[in-house]
Amino acid sequence: MKAIIKYLSSYLPENVVTNYDLEKTLDTNNDWIVTRTGIEERRIANDNESSGDMAIKAVENLKNKGAVVEDCDAVIVATSTKSYTFPSTAGLVQKAFNIKNSCLAFDISAACSGYIYALNTASSLIESGECKKVLIIATEKCSDILNWEDRTTAILFGDGVSSALLEASDEDKGIISTDIGAEANEEILIVKGGGSVSPITEENVEDKTNTIKMAGTEVFKKAVTTFDNTIRKTVKDAGLELSDLSLIITHQANTRIMNAVAKNLGLSDDKFYINIQKYGNTSAASVGIAFTEAFDSNVIKEGDYVLLTAFGAGLTWGSTLIKF
């Protein structure tokens, strides 16, 4: 029994913030941002729009495509910006759609790799026979954990959600190979404030302790190497070659990272789906947003091998290979 993806959806807030908007408050400019990152604009949620609210809107979009979620056996939400410490954001989704009380509902914290972790967990639950139908959502309101005075991070991130409905199937398609991993390293990418190490106080809010701190050069180098390793392993484990891949959808963090990965793998840039220019880095949601966009625009065809891959804080990483 394999897990197949039946429906995909996403949700992006209406508010568009361009690089030119950021020029007004930061010591930066559009050309520098585009050259260094590939980002031209990003979506930013309203103050009263939580990550849970956005997750519900993404599932509503899923239902508008014909998905039935009320009988799901599990709801998994990947997020680093959950609505509450508890209850889980997954529980909020379960309540909003009156999903049966016997379902599993829990959150995953794997930063930018969250969508891949959620896919892997959902696939494992289905392959084991524990579940027949699993709803996954990756929702991030990164704007809440940004220091808008820090030009090294404020230019990078946006808000958004991606969602997928997976079901058990005996068809010769679906998720065929997955690789996930982690390496303890909180030094190069962290939001320190807000946890039990550094609870929110008036003083550390003033010091921006509750915002993203990143050693950009170190993250870049680690990401390129890790993407290379996890992609190769996932393809090898499936008994395929890199040349068999129809499309690679990476976490949308930086076009220079994607270009470097393509070069290392000996693949052309057009094998990689890129939409970072429109949305920036939406953390856990980014792979799924790009995946949904590629599928809805018919970039993905029947019989294609599509590889999803991500790298994030933790450090975490993962890849999933899907046959359509």
Side-chain angles (χ1 to χ4, degrees), residues 133-206:
K133 193 172 185 179
V134 180
L135 173 65
I136 70 165
I137 305 133
T139 181
E140 297 286 20
K141 191 178 181 184
C142 298
S143 56
D144 277 350
I145 55 172
L146 283 179
N147 177 358
W148 288 99
E149 298 174 358
D150 176 13
R151 73 169 190 162
T152 65
T153 55
I155 64 170
L156 299 176
F157 294 90
D159 301 333
V161 188
S162 51
S163 180
L165 185 65
L166 288 80
E167 293 185 9
S169 173
D170 56 7
E171 297 180 70
D172 183 28
K173 62 180 182 179
I175 295 173
I176 60 174
S177 180
T178 300
D179 171 60
I180 58 173
E183 174 189 324
N185 185 336
E186 75 278 16
E187 296 177 3
I188 65 174
L189 187 51
I190 188 172
V191 177
K192 186 175 181 180
S196 60
V197 169
S198 183
I200 294 299
T201 64
E202 184 176 338
E203 180 180 3
N204 63 27
V205 167
E206 194 69 27

Side-chain angles (χ1 to χ4, degrees), residues 12-19 37-44 156-159 252 255 273-282 289-290 293-294 297:
L12 284 306
E14 293 181 0
N15 183 32
V16 177
V17 176
T18 69
N19 294 343
T37 69
I39 301 168
E40 298 174 14
E41 60 188 39
R42 70 284 295 148
R43 304 294 183 91
I44 301 297
L156 299 176
F157 294 90
D159 301 333
Q252 305 289 303
T255 52
Y273 190 85
I274 297 175
N275 67 356
I276 190 175
Q277 69 277 9
K278 296 187 289 185
Y279 309 123
N281 180 345
T282 54
I289 291 171
E293 190 172 272
S297 59

Side-chain angles (χ1 to χ4, degrees), residues 50-289:
S50 70
S51 59
D53 295 332
M54 293 193 295
I56 290 168
K57 290 175 181 177
V59 178
E60 288 173 347
N61 289 340
L62 206 65
K63 286 173 64 67
N64 289 338
K65 292 182 174 181
V68 176
V69 302
E70 289 77 12
D71 59 347
C72 284
D73 302 305
V75 180
I76 304 171
V77 172
T79 183
S80 297
T81 54
K82 53 169 53 182
S83 291
Y84 304 108
T85 300
F86 57 80
S88 68
T89 306
L92 302 181
V93 172
Q94 179 193 17
K95 179 181 178 181
F97 295 97
N98 196 30
I99 298 173
K100 62 186 183 182
N101 290 338
S102 59
C103 85
L104 305 172
F106 58 95
D107 293 350
I108 289 176
S109 177
C112 301
S113 305
Y115 189 84
I116 304 296
Y117 268 56
L119 270 179
N120 176 269
T121 304
S123 178
S124 297
L125 287 169
I126 288 171
E127 289 177 6
S128 70
E130 179 76 18
C131 297
K132 293 182 179 180
K133 193 172 185 179
V134 180
L135 173 65
I136 70 165
I137 305 133
T139 181
E140 297 286 20
K141 191 178 181 184
C142 298
S143 56
D144 277 350
I145 55 172
L146 283 179
N147 177 358
W148 288 99
E149 298 174 358
D150 176 13
R151 73 169 190 162
T152 65
T153 55
I155 64 170
L156 299 176
F157 294 90
D159 301 333
V161 188
S162 51
S163 180
L165 185 65
L166 288 80
E167 293 185 9
S169 173
D170 56 7
E171 297 180 70
D172 183 28
K173 62 180 182 179
I175 295 173
I176 60 174
S177 180
T178 300
D179 171 60
I180 58 173
E183 174 189 324
N185 185 336
E186 75 278 16
E187 296 177 3
I188 65 174
L189 187 51
I190 188 172
V191 177
K192 186 175 181 180
S196 60
V197 169
S198 183
I200 294 299
T201 64
E202 184 176 338
E203 180 180 3
N204 63 27
V205 167
E206 194 69 27
D207 293 339
K208 310 293 186 184
T209 307
N210 60 325
T211 62
I212 297 172
K213 302 293 189 297
M214 182 172 68
T217 301
E218 293 303 313
V219 171
F220 186 103
K221 290 189 290 188
K222 193 72 176 177
V224 171
T225 301
T226 305
F227 273 128
D228 185 280
N229 291 338
T230 186
I231 290 170
R232 290 181 188 275
K233 183 178 186 304
T234 305
V235 172
K236 182 179 179 180
D237 288 350
L240 299 174
E241 302 292 336
L242 289 171
S243 57
D244 293 319
L245 297 178
S246 307
L247 189 67
I248 298 174
I249 302 175
T250 75
H251 166 51
Q252 305 289 303
N254 190 307
T255 52
R256 292 190 301 145
I257 290 177
M258 289 181 264
N259 292 339
V261 173
K263 182 178 180 180
N264 288 350
L265 294 173
L267 299 174
S268 62
D269 290 343
D270 59 13
K271 280 261 189 179
F272 289 73
Y273 190 85
I274 297 175
N275 67 356
I276 190 175
Q277 69 277 9
K278 296 187 289 185
Y279 309 123
N281 180 345
T282 54
S283 190
S286 87
V287 172
I289 291 171

